[in-house]
Amino acid sequence: KPTKPLQGIKILVTAGPTREIIDPVRYITNRSSGKMGYALAESAAALGAEVTLISGPTALKPPAGVTFVPIETAQEMYEEVLKYFPDTNIVIKAAAVADYRPKIIYDNKMKKGDGDLVLELERTIDILKTLGEKKEKQILVGFAAETENVQAYATKKLKTKNLDMIVANNVKQEGAGFGVDTNIITIYTRNGEVMEYPLLSKQEAAKEILMKAATFLE
Ligand code: PMT
């Protein structure tokens, strides 16, 4: 039986949105459906990798054969990612992690008053940046969801987060980004390579991302 290209490789994928809790009935979230991250997890498993999928709440069924770790908040995602990180070869962060969360979580439902409400937010931890600081042999792949200046913002994230590659998608482009079954990606690598892809299904895009990431393994 021929060996599969990612046989023996441990891959950690994050997917979906996070939910940042305001009170027992309300939260802040974003438009991520999880489709990109689940496609990565499914393709990685099909290519022979040992896959862990850490996911925020989505409507999707976890792919067969992957270790599935459901989380809700950015803080929970951070804690789970750190548990798996030391024993991982490639990390792919397709999740749309909230950058801010409510500073106070109310134990009981907030009651409305007559006036407006100001909700104070504080920064969440940047998971990918933390991994970039801790990394030893792990290959780190980030995503950049942008609406303008895609190349400049993506390459800045590649450098400041100490990544091996970043997958940029302009989420304003039709057929790309949140919710849809397709994506239009550009991959930037730490070696200065730039790879632009046409409209692909998220499965096809996932395979390209995985095979490129694997070239960085020693
Ligand atoms: O889920 P889908 O509906 O299929 O949509 C796919 C997608 C648009 C969510 C996906 O393709 C994508 O772009 N994911 C990254 C979304 C994002 O949050 O991008 P960002 O540019 O804000 O963050 C940059 C990188 O840092 C990301 O890899 C992100 O996971 C990571 N990050 C961000 C904030 C934070 N606190 N911790 C992080 O690790």
Side-chain angles (χ1 to χ4, degrees), residues 13-19 29 32-34 38 53-60 68-74 76-77 95-96:
V13 178
T14 71
T18 65
R19 269 183 192 168
T29 191
S32 173
S33 65
Y38 281 55
L53 173 62
I54 300 179
S55 175
T58 75
L60 306 175
F68 182 67
V69 182
I71 56 86
E72 197 165 327
T73 64
E76 287 166 8
M77 181 173 279

Side-chain angles (χ1 to χ4, degrees), residues 196-216:
E196 280 187 70
Y197 296 87
L199 181 83
L200 298 174
S201 70
K202 282 185 174 162
Q203 270 70 23
E204 292 165 330
K207 205 173 164 197
E208 297 293 339
I209 294 163
L210 287 160
M211 294 312 289
K212 186 65 199 172
T215 66
F216 286 96

Side-chain angles (χ1 to χ4, degrees), residues 176-209:
F178 294 102
V180 290
D181 292 324
T182 53
N183 209 350
I184 305 168
I185 59 166
T186 305
I187 296 180
Y188 301 90
T189 73
R190 65 168 192 228
N191 303 327
E193 295 163 281
V194 182
M195 277 153 291
E196 280 187 70
Y197 296 87
L199 181 83
L200 298 174
S201 70
K202 282 185 174 162
Q203 270 70 23
E204 292 165 330
K207 205 173 164 197
E208 297 293 339
I209 294 163

Side-chain angles (χ1 to χ4, degrees), residues 90-107:
I90 300 176
V91 180
I92 307 184
K93 289 228 67 247
V97 185
D99 293 314
Y100 297 91
R101 65 178 173 210
K103 199 160 184 176
I104 296 167
I105 298 177
Y106 291 90
D107 286 338

Side-chain angles (χ1 to χ4, degrees), residues 23-60:
D23 72 11
V25 300
R26 305 180 177 94
Y27 55 77
I28 298 172
T29 191
N30 61 63
R31 293 176 185 276
S32 173
S33 65
K35 284 177 182 173
M36 189 67 244
Y38 281 55
L40 281 157
E42 191 174 13
S43 302
L47 293 167
E50 215 178 290
V51 182
T52 302
L53 173 62
I54 300 179
S55 175
T58 75
L60 306 175

